[in-house]
Amino acid sequence: MSVAKTRRVLSLATLFPNAANPRFGVFVAKSLEALQRDTHWDVTVINPLGLPPVALGRYRALADAAEDGHEFGIAVYRPTFRLLPKIGGRLNPGLIAKAVLPLARRLHADHPFDLVDAQFFYPDGPAAMIIARELGLPFSVKARGTDIHYWGARAYGRDALLETAREAAGVLAVCAALADDMATLGMARDTITVHYTGLDRDLFRPMDHVGLRARLGETFSIPIASGDRLLVSVGALIERKGQSLVIKALADLPRARLLLVGKGEDEASLRALAKEIGVAERVHFLGSLAPTMLPPILSAADAMVLPSASEGLANAWIEALACGTPLVITDAGGAREVVTAPEAGVIVARNCRAIREGIDLVTRRPRSPETVAATVEKFSWEANAAALAAHYDAIA
């Protein structure tokens, strides 16, 4: 049964799936989908795509993806803005606002909005601030982790973050640890509301182990033996996620096998590292997978290992636990808000020895998948949408 729509939000989201990158920012899309489906808020998304003066290579596919549509039950618009790769970071908020404003004005004139929302703190936040100012509307902005840690380490980025937070009617963070980091940066902690991620509970749940590993072995051509310890690491293949440390730890775990789910700029160096230390036959690169492929992999694994240098609150943590798979993670972001009981796994130091010991500790201690899954029972997209609607109601 559809919910009557009484309020309207214009959501600016550079972090949103498109035809060129269908998995990019899918958690943003799922949150807004639930908000549209389950609450009285009507959502319109503007997903600006940055293109350099000459769109070659991966930017050619991105240019082709610059099409409006109706996706996740939401109207989605994709104007393009001029992008200067690697050097244009400080210019992006202004360029986004310039590209988006004519569209935002037209949409607002046709059917007025009550609120402007930014789904990422930078560059979305400062751009949303400009747009909201021009439309005479309040705005909200959400912090997710890298937007604070990366841009906050640059003087111009920090200044933009602080100005955006001061002007925003509402500020969200994906976990309390990130909210504390934002306060350290100079934002008023008492103005920041923690808004936890959601979870597709019908999809991410423990699956029966009987025959699961054999099926995975056949699907991905992996020789999984009955006595193997199966480890999975879900995340972009980048230095910050720490997959190299897991590969190195594998050298002292002879019966362990590692499945890497994700893609990224470090794939070649990770493959070379696995070969160099003699574990290449036990490290398997599965690439970027559709969400429907993750539950059987996570359910079959003995542990999900992700020694990140920094995080907000990783969706991969919640999805693994919901599938009954304990975590071996570092003390990054909201880790302590997720690993709240021994059943959820362990938090370890970010070095090979600690990771190896954490894997040993978790995989040698039996725990029922249902007990592990119970540690994240509060997470759902329905709860996420209800909390977001209440936040919007309070400020618009």
Side-chain angles (χ1 to χ4, degrees):
M1 189 170 101
S2 61
V3 180
K5 302 300 176 184
T6 58
R7 312 297 298 279
R8 299 193 74 227
V9 59
L10 178 63
S11 188
L12 186 68
T14 56
L15 196 63
F16 198 87
N18 58 62
N21 300 293
R23 307 311 322 155
F24 183 64
V26 70
F27 44 88
V28 172
K30 297 299 288 185
S31 176
L32 295 177
E33 178 185 43
L35 183 74
Q36 174 72 26
R37 182 188 64 232
D38 299 336
T39 81
H40 57 282
W41 282 89
D42 185 56
V43 183
T44 297
V45 169
I46 296 182
N47 171 217
L49 302 181
L51 297 175
V54 180
L56 300 175
R58 64 188 176 93
Y59 289 111
R60 180 68 264 164
L62 195 60
D64 293 339
E67 293 186 351
D68 302 339
H70 194 80
E71 304 159 17
F72 300 93
I74 301 166
V76 181
Y77 296 87
R78 292 192 174 90
T80 61
F81 67 95
R82 178 59 57 85
L83 180 72
L84 300 175
K86 300 187 183 299
I87 61 171
R90 71 173 67 230
L91 303 175
N92 286 341
L95 293 171
I96 290 171
K98 181 180 178 182
V100 166
L101 260 172
L103 171 62
R105 287 194 184 102
R106 176 171 62 80
L107 293 173
H108 186 52
D110 290 345
H111 195 173
F113 296 104
D114 298 286
L115 179 72
V116 175
D117 160 76
Q119 284 291 319
F120 205 57
F121 224 103
Y122 192 94
D124 306 33
M129 177 179 67
I130 296 169
I131 294 164
R133 192 184 295 152
E134 290 293 322
L135 299 183
L137 295 174
F139 78 97
S140 175
V141 58
K142 184 166 185 177
R144 296 183 178 274
T146 54
D147 46 357
I148 298 299
H149 299 137
Y150 181 84
W151 296 108
R154 288 149 178 77
Y156 70 86
R158 179 177 179 274
D159 290 345
L161 296 177
L162 294 179
E163 181 186 6
T164 301
R166 283 193 302 270
E167 289 211 21
V171 179
L172 298 172
V174 295
C175 60
L178 181 60
D180 291 342
D181 289 346
M182 294 158 72
T184 300
L185 200 64
M187 298 180 195
R189 179 63 178 85
D190 60 356
T191 67
I192 304 170
T193 299
V194 175
H195 183 226
Y196 287 117
T197 188
L199 175 73
D200 186 339
R201 305 204 68 86
D202 292 329
L203 180 62
F204 292 98
R205 53 186 173 77
M207 297 180 67
D208 190 349
H209 271 248
V210 177
L212 198 53
R213 290 191 173 192
R215 204 159 76 236
L216 282 179
E218 291 173 7
T219 301
F220 295 103
S221 300
I222 299 171
I224 305 173
S226 59
D228 284 353
R229 279 190 278 184
L230 192 61
L231 311 174
V232 61
S233 188
V234 180
L237 304 183
I238 55 177
E239 194 282 330
R240 178 172 63 83
K241 296 291 186 178
Q243 292 96 343
S244 63
L245 297 171
V246 189
I247 291 173
K248 290 175 183 177
L250 214 62
D252 294 318
L253 296 167
R255 293 301 303 273
R257 197 171 287 279
L258 174 62
L259 309 181
L260 294 176
V261 178
K263 61 181 181 179
E265 60 193 33
D266 282 6
E267 180 171 341
S269 63
L270 291 172
R271 287 183 180 274
L273 173 63
K275 185 176 181 180
E276 178 187 338
I277 63 177
V279 298
E281 75 284 356
R282 295 191 284 122
V283 178
H284 308 279
F285 292 79
L286 306 189
S288 182
L289 301 176
T292 52
M293 293 293 293
L294 292 179
I297 294 171
L298 292 168
S299 294
D302 295 300
M304 208 285 275
V305 190
L306 194 66
S308 304
S310 66
E311 287 285 357
L313 191 144
N315 287 66
W317 297 344
I318 308 302
E319 292 166 354
L321 291 171
C323 290
T325 305
L327 306 176
V328 178
I329 60 176
T330 43
D331 193 6
R336 293 182 183 274
E337 295 163 62
V338 173
V339 181
T340 56
E343 290 75 19
V346 295
I347 296 174
V348 300
R350 198 173 190 255
N351 62 66
C352 294
R353 178 178 176 179
I355 293 166
R356 185 187 72 246
E357 291 174 350
I359 291 169
D360 268 333
L361 183 64
V362 164
T363 58
R364 294 185 190 281
R365 178 186 175 187
R367 60 197 83 196
S368 77
E370 291 73 23
T371 302
V372 175
T375 65
V376 289
E377 62 184 1
K378 70 178 181 180
F379 291 89
S380 71
W381 287 122
E382 291 78 10
N384 175 277
L388 188 55
H391 169 75
Y392 288 167
D393 286 344
I395 62 176

